Every structure is written in C-alpha cells, then in structure tokens.
Amino acid sequence: MTTTAQQSEAAAAVTTWLADFSAALAANDPAGAAALFTEDCFWRDLISFTWNIRTFEGRAEVTRMLEATLPRVQPAGWTVTDGEEPAAADGITEAWVNFETSAGRGHGHLRLRGGQCWTLLTTLYELKGYEEPKGLRRPVGAEHGVNRDRTSWLEDREHETRNLGITEQPYVLIVGGGQAGIGLAARLRQLRVPAIVIDKRARPGDQWRSRYKSLCLHDPVWYDHMPYLKFPDNWPVFSPKDKIADWLESYTKIMELNYWPNTEAKSASYDEASQEWTVNVERDGQAVVLRPKQLVLATGMSGKPSIPSFPGMDKFRGDQHHSSGHPGPDAYQGKRCVVIGSNNSAFDICGALWESGADVTMVQRSSTHIVRSSTLMDIGLSALYSEQAVDSGITTDKADLIFASIPYRIMHLFQIPLYDQMRERDKDFYDRLERAGFDHDWGDDGSGLFMKYLRRGSGYYIDVGAADLVANGDVRLVRGQVDHLTEDAVVLADGTSLPADLVVYATGYTSMNGWAADLISREVADKVGKCWGLGSDTTKDPGPWEGEQRNMWKPTRQEALWFTGGNLHQSRHYSLYLGLQLKARQAGLPTPVYGLQEVHHLG
Ligand SMILES: Cc1cc2nc3c(=O)[nH]c(=O)nc-3n(C[C@H](O)[C@H](O)[C@H](O)COP(=O)(O)OP(=O)(O)OC[C@H]3O[C@@H](n4cnc5c(N)ncnc54)[C@H](O)[C@@H]3O)c2cc1C
C-alpha cells in the first residue's frame, strides 16, 4: 500500500528528474542528459527521437543517440501525464510522461532508481499538423446547408474504390490482408495516406477460415483488440477462428479500407531514381501494375510454411500436408495419423484428430515449452490483459505501453519469476508429462513463452487440453528424428516405423524475408536480412544482441520496404508507429533514421 507521503516523495523525485532532464536537453547537452541515467540504463525509443525502433543501453549509447538527434528533435514540454500519479515500489519510482518534439507529440514512461533514470520509454503518438480526425476532431459526417454538387458518403467511397490503383496510385501498397495488413491500413486511412491492401485469398479473414477447424485464438480477448475497434464486452475470451475471420472481414468494411481480395502480388521492383515500386499483381485473374511509393509486406510471420524434405515423401501413398494445409479431422476417423512436431499446431491437430476417433502419434524432434492456458492467463497476462486489469484502469493502450517499457535485454528477468510460479502451480501436470517421456523446456534461461515468442516465434504450446492426451498416452508420443517415409509409414532414425494413413508436418514457418525473396529478389531479401528475433544467442535466435525485433515495423536496409506481422497485440500496437513513419514520409517531413540495424543473418 503506497502512503500519501510515499506518493509525494515519488512525485517530487520525478519532478526533479524531469526538470534536470529537460534542462540538459534544452541546453543541447547529451552528456549532461545521459549523466541523469544509471550506468546500466535503457532508453527505448519508438520513433520519437530516432525515426526508428531502437533501445539504447548505457550512458554512452544514450549520449551518442542524443548527439545525433537532439538539434533536430528539439524535445520539450516534459510533464507528468494528467491523472497518472508517480508511484514507488521496491526502490523503483515509475511515472507516465508527455513530451513534444519538433515533429509530434509523445508519451513516455520512466523508472527511476536512486534518483536516476533506469528505464525510459519514448513513443510518438501523433504528428503535428497531421492529427487523426478523432475526439474533438471527429468528422461531422453530414454536410449541412445546401449544395448542388453534393455527393454522398457512398458516392465518395465508390469514386475512391473505382479510381485508387487504376487512375490514381496508392502511396502505400500493403501485400497481405490479415490482421497486420488491415490494422495498418486502418491507421493509414485515419492519417489520410492513400493505401491499398491486397490479398490473394477470396475474402478478408480467409487466412483464419482456412486453418484447421478446431482452432480458437490462444490469446485472450483483452490482448487481441484491433486498432480503433474493440471487441464488444460479450465477445468470447478465446475467439473461434471463423468468428475472428468474420470480425476481420467486417473490420475492412467498417474502417473503409481499400481491400482488393483475389489479388496476388507476383513480382516487385524498386526504382531508385523515381523512388517508386513497380508491383505486378493479378487481380481476379487480370494483370494490374501498381506503383506505390512504399511497399509493406504483411504476408504473415506464420504464413510461409517450413516444409521438411524427407526421402520417400514422394512414395508415401496416404495424405500428407503441412499443418497450414490441414483440413481438420473429419476424414481421418479410425485412421493412423502421424503428426511431426510438438508445438502449438501439432498439439491442436493431435487433439482434434483424437477427438474424432483417429489413432494419433506425435513425433517430438526437439524440446517444447508448454504452459497451461488458464495458468498463463492468471500469472502471465492478468496484470495487463484481463477484465481485472481493465477494471483497475489498465486500458489496452496503457497495457501495450507498459509492456513496451520493459527493455528486451532484461525482459527475461521479469518473466522468469512468473514461470517459476507456473512451474510450481502445475507441478503435477509437468511431472505427468515428464513421466510420459515428453521433452519439456522452459526456454534456455527459464523465461518461458513470451521470450521464446519474441526470440524465435516457435517452440511452445499454450495448452488448451491436448497436453493431457500426451501425458495419458491417448496420443502416442515418439521422440526422434524422421529419417524417411515409405509407402505407408514414417521411419525414424532409430529404425522405429510408424504406420500412417496421414502425415502432418507441423514443422513451423520460415522468416518473413523469404517473402521478399519470392516477390522482389534474393538480393533484396539478403540485403534486408532475417526478420524477427532479438539476437539473444539462445536457441534459434543467434547473436549478436540487436535489442529489437529484426526488421519489424521499422526502416529496413531496402529503402521503402517494410514488414509488419506478429500476434494481434503486436499488430495493434506497432501499426501505430509504422503508420506514423509512412505518414511522415508521405507528408514530406524529414525522417532521418538513427541507427539503422546491421544485418547479421540472412534468414
Ligand atoms: C495455428 C495457428 C494459431 C495461431 N493462433 C494465434 C493466436 O491465438 N493469437 C494470435 O495473435 N496469433 C495467432 N497465430 C499467429 C497468426 O499467424 C497470426 O496472428 C496472424 O495470422 C498473423 O496475421 P498476419 O496479418 O501477420 O498474417 P496472415 O494472417 O498470415 O496474413 C497474411 C496474408 O498474406 C497473404 N499473402 C501472402 N502472399 C501474398 C501475395 N504474394 N499476394 C497477396 N497476398 C499474399 C495471405 O493470403 C494471407 O492472407 C496463430 C497462427 C497459427 C498458424
């Protein structure tokens, strides 16, 4: 319980720090400003100082960043956010702050330790002169008065739909109309950036519709809102896949997006001289050439299947497909099904096959982290994303910023104690899994699911029931590497033969820059390098440390090429910063990028 005296002390510490910090910045004194940080400080900037997404570690990096950016950024107006009292606990004082730069307005979050700043988050939320038409700026909608040339909203929309991409070029082309593509498109519409989203599938939401029929979102509703349009209060906690598909389809209409279904991007090239892309697309079977200034690949982090190549696959006489192409269990009642892999999709598919009476074997090739959904909700997410969090004033926007305020370098330290609690709470469950021979891990450093997701985007299962089937032996578990397939079996390296009518390759997805290779060129894909991961030097996330997710929502080494994707939380939050970066360019604002990332891995 924080007392009034502690609150005043916290407020005073923050006021003093902000005054000193503002004075150092106003005096253009990078070293002086950096001296107000602890030696082991972190400053995470989401485009407000750097036009980049970067975390600076230690005073020297902070100093260098400020030396490069201060004269242009001219930060000012640092104040504690109205209604947000600074609070102190365990020797850390936390505060929400507002500030301005020459280009826009920002929100920040700081943690002080011993009067110095330990972590600082700075984010830009709007550009001056290009504020979104919301709140007091809400559009009137109706045009009162008399006007002989009056056009209706519908006529205007139809005019736009007829012309954009045909007689007028979009400023931004977004390839991929999943949640990432349409969330960004919604932001761009509010920022008045002409944009088209294309998707090769027939209807918005089809990416979800096409997945196996038992799928429900693994993340709860509070984590999943789209930008601007929250799910209603009676929306289920875990949305069934066809329901989320319908929501996304409705979203494209409600948010007035220029969405071209049945449209596949076939190839793209960038002309340095005209600073323009030429993108060849096929729309309803017709060739169309689009010439956007900016190209965003929203083609899916879990969109490009990683399909193994085992000898004998061509000889196998049963059905075989990647998990992304699995139709569901209906045709496999009483059949022998071998699922290769032991992560989310593998478990979901094994569970559904077992429910419909198939004989199911899971082949585990490497260790997997499992956490029970209810435990994850209670211990991992409830503080930020839950009904209780909402009731205690933690809005989705606030939760997103709190999450963003924890530097990736130390995030595992916040996560490890949570996963220790989970291990304790579900001890019996893990003991049973272990007895069944399941190779379980908690991440290389015990930091669990979120860190695995951020580092490698794979290697886990959020258990919604199927783990018990493995623990009980209802789903047979076999550990080992696949050596080859015969006409009717999967054969492992140790000679074990698993008779099969169906083989599902639940073997994951490849890096998003593979899409750039397909669409643009291998050269551009290599120039840009691997997408995702932090460089944590843990399994499947090779170092060196990069501090931010590679290539996501920020400038890449290929001019005018951007990537977006990830879960619903990330698509929602980071689309704001990607949208503002694109708007700034469209408006012709100077956007010098500080600290463009190095490329250490090709994919
Ligand atoms: C089984 C499974 C369960 C999941 N569960 C969750 C969950 O619970 N919560 C969560 O947040 N995430 C979940 N995910 C992750 C999920 O992939 C993403 O959240 C979501 O689909 C990503 O959205 P996206 O917009 O980035 O990409 P996608 O939804 O994959 O959309 C990419 C789109 O790009 C289109 N496309 C690709 N190439 C082209 C081209 N050349 N031209 C035109 N269009 C093209 C595709 O047709 C596709 O529609 C799950 C994923 C899987 C596979």
Side-chain angles (χ1 to χ4, degrees), residues 406-424:
I406 302 169
Y408 287 134
R409 174 78 91 169
I410 53 171
M411 192 176 267
H412 63 289
L413 301 175
F414 288 71
Q415 295 290 310
I416 290 168
L418 303 180
Y419 286 82
D420 286 345
Q421 283 179 50
M422 296 185 201
R423 195 195 312 251
E424 199 52 40

Side-chain angles (χ1 to χ4, degrees), residues 174-183 197-208 210-212 215-220 223-224 238-239 248 259-260 262-267 280-282 297-304 322-324 344-346 348-349 453 460 462 509 512 515 518-519 552 564-571:
I174 302 170
V175 180
Q179 70 219 17
I182 63 177
V197 188
I198 63 170
D199 202 293
K200 60 188 175 194
R201 295 177 194 263
R203 279 167 67 195
D206 273 355
Q207 4 6 65
W208 286 101
S210 66
R211 289 176 180 154
Y212 49 86
L215 179 65
C216 292
L217 289 193
H218 293 108
D219 299 322
Y223 194 70
D224 295 337
F238 300 107
S239 188
L248 296 181
Y259 191 102
W260 289 12
N262 272 323
T263 307
E264 180 165 4
K266 294 288 194 182
S267 65
N280 296 302
V281 312
E282 201 173 281
L297 297 189
T299 37
M301 224 274 281
S302 308
K304 204 169 167 48
H322 185 261
S323 57
S324 57
N344 259 329
S345 296
D348 277 354
I349 290 170
Y453 174 70
Y460 48 80
I462 301 176
Y509 298 87
M512 279 188 78
W515 293 108
D518 290 355
L519 197 59
M552 301 306 294
T564 178
N567 64 26
L568 282 144
H569 151 83
Q570 290 173 303
S571 294

Side-chain angles (χ1 to χ4, degrees), residues 44 53 179-180 183-184 187 219 223-227 301-302 385 396 400 403 408 411 450 453-455 457 460 532-534 548-550 552-553 563-578:
R44 182 165 196 230
I53 295 184
Q179 70 219 17
L184 176 65
R187 301 259 190 211
D219 299 322
Y223 194 70
D224 295 337
H225 298 298
M226 292 291 289
M301 224 274 281
S302 308
Y385 301 97
T396 306
D400 289 349
F403 197 73
Y408 287 134
M411 192 176 267
F450 283 120
Y453 174 70
L454 294 166
R455 290 166 174 172
Y460 48 80
W532 209 260
L534 301 167
E548 291 290 340
Q549 294 203 286
R550 303 179 185 99
M552 301 306 294
W553 315 287
F563 293 88
T564 178
N567 64 26
L568 282 144
H569 151 83
Q570 290 173 303
S571 294
R572 171 183 66 246
H573 187 204
Y574 289 96
S575 57
L576 169 63
Y577 310 109
L578 178 49

Side-chain angles (χ1 to χ4, degrees), residues 191-262:
L191 290 164
R192 298 197 179 86
V193 178
I196 294 179
V197 188
I198 63 170
D199 202 293
K200 60 188 175 194
R201 295 177 194 263
R203 279 167 67 195
D206 273 355
Q207 4 6 65
W208 286 101
R209 284 188 197 96
S210 66
R211 289 176 180 154
Y212 49 86
K213 77 173 200 180
S214 59
L215 179 65
C216 292
L217 289 193
H218 293 108
D219 299 322
V221 63
W222 307 279
Y223 194 70
D224 295 337
H225 298 298
M226 292 291 289
Y228 307 108
L229 193 62
K230 294 218 159 75
F231 294 110
D233 286 351
N234 53 2
W235 195 264
V237 174
F238 300 107
S239 188
K241 59 139 186 138
D242 295 285
K243 192 169 169 67
I244 196 82
D246 287 352
W247 179 261
L248 296 181
E249 186 169 19
S250 310
Y251 187 86
T252 61
K253 275 212 141 194
I254 294 168
M255 300 311 294
E256 303 175 12
L257 306 187
N258 297 302
Y259 191 102
W260 289 12
N262 272 323

